[in-house]
Amino acid sequence: MPKGDGIPDVAFPGNARSTTLGDVGMLAAYIGLALTIGQVINYDEFLGIWLGKNGKLYNTSWGGNGSAGGKEIYAHARYRTIGKFGTAMGVTLLVLTGIQWKRGDIGTGWALAQGASTGFTMVSKASIGLAWDFGWGILGPWVTSWDSYQRFKFNFYYGESAVGPPSELNRELWNDFYENYQF
C-alpha cells in the first residue's frame, strides 16, 4: 500500500507478509557487504594483500609475474570493477534511506546516522569499510535483538536506579513502559 509517495511496499504472491523498503535495504546492504569482501580479497592496500589470477594472496610490495598476473593490471582492476557495483549499492541504500525518512518510517536523526554510515563505508578503504559495515549493519542489529541486551537497556534507562522502584509517585511511568516496551 502506498504511503503517499507512490512507492508501495511489495507483496509477493504466496507470501504472508509484504516486503518493505527496509527489507530491500537489508538485501542491498548484504549485497554491498559481499562486494566489499570481494574487494578486500582482490586488493587491499590497508592489509597489504592482493589476489593473483592463480588464486594465491600476495603482498602489495610485489608487483606480480606471468603466473600470478600483475598487481595493478589484474588485481587492482578487479578491485575497481567490484567497487563500482559497491558504489551502486551504496547509492541505492542512500536513496532507500531518503525514501524511508520522507515517508516517516524513520526519524531525521536515524536517517542522518544511516546516511553517514553508508557514506563512510563507500569512501573508506575496503577493509576499513568492511569492518564498519559489519559492525553497523550486521553485528549491531543482531546484538540489539537479544533479550539480554533489551533487559540491560531497560535497567539502564528505566530501571529502579533511574526512576526508583514502582510506587504511587511513578506508577504511570512504569505502566506506560510495560504496556509499550518491546523486549
Side-chain angles (χ1 to χ4, degrees):
M1 161 181 291
K3 292 190 178 185
D5 58 8
I7 301 171
D9 287 339
V10 181
F12 294 103
N15 194 351
R17 69 177 191 87
S18 66
T19 301
T20 65
L21 287 176
D23 295 333
V24 174
M26 283 303 295
L27 176 63
Y30 283 120
I31 291 170
L33 183 64
L35 290 168
T36 304
I37 290 170
Q39 275 191 294
V40 169
I41 290 171
N42 277 286
Y43 183 90
D44 192 273
E45 287 180 24
F46 182 76
L47 295 177
I49 60 171
W50 64 277
L51 182 68
K53 65 181 180 182
N54 58 2
K56 294 180 182 178
L57 289 174
Y58 296 99
N59 191 311
T60 53
S61 63
W62 184 61
N65 62 20
S67 65
K71 173 179 71 173
E72 293 297 323
I73 294 171
Y74 186 71
H76 200 245
R78 282 186 312 196
Y79 170 89
R80 285 191 304 269
T81 301
I82 293 170
K84 290 175 185 175
F85 290 107
T87 299
M89 285 298 107
V91 170
T92 300
L93 286 170
L94 290 173
V95 168
L96 290 174
T97 300
I99 292 169
Q100 287 177 315
W101 172 73
K102 186 164 175 51
R103 288 170 54 159
D105 295 342
I106 59 175
T108 302
W110 185 249
L112 291 173
Q114 186 65 37
S117 176
T118 301
F120 176 78
T121 302
M122 290 170 58
V123 299
S124 64
K125 293 191 181 292
S127 53
I128 296 169
L130 175 62
W132 179 269
D133 196 25
F134 182 77
W136 177 271
I138 310 284
L139 195 58
W142 178 61
V143 168
T144 59
S145 71
W146 298 349
D147 284 342
S148 59
Y149 173 82
Q150 295 299 326
R151 289 183 204 290
F152 166 77
K153 188 169 81 171
F154 165 75
N155 288 328
F156 185 78
Y157 287 109
Y158 297 104
E160 292 184 20
S161 62
V163 296
S167 68
E168 288 300 317
L169 296 174
N170 61 17
R171 176 184 213 158
E172 192 172 308
L173 177 64
W174 280 91
N175 284 338
D176 179 62
F177 177 78
Y178 278 115
E179 289 172 7
N180 298 306
Y181 192 82
Q182 297 290 322
F183 279 112

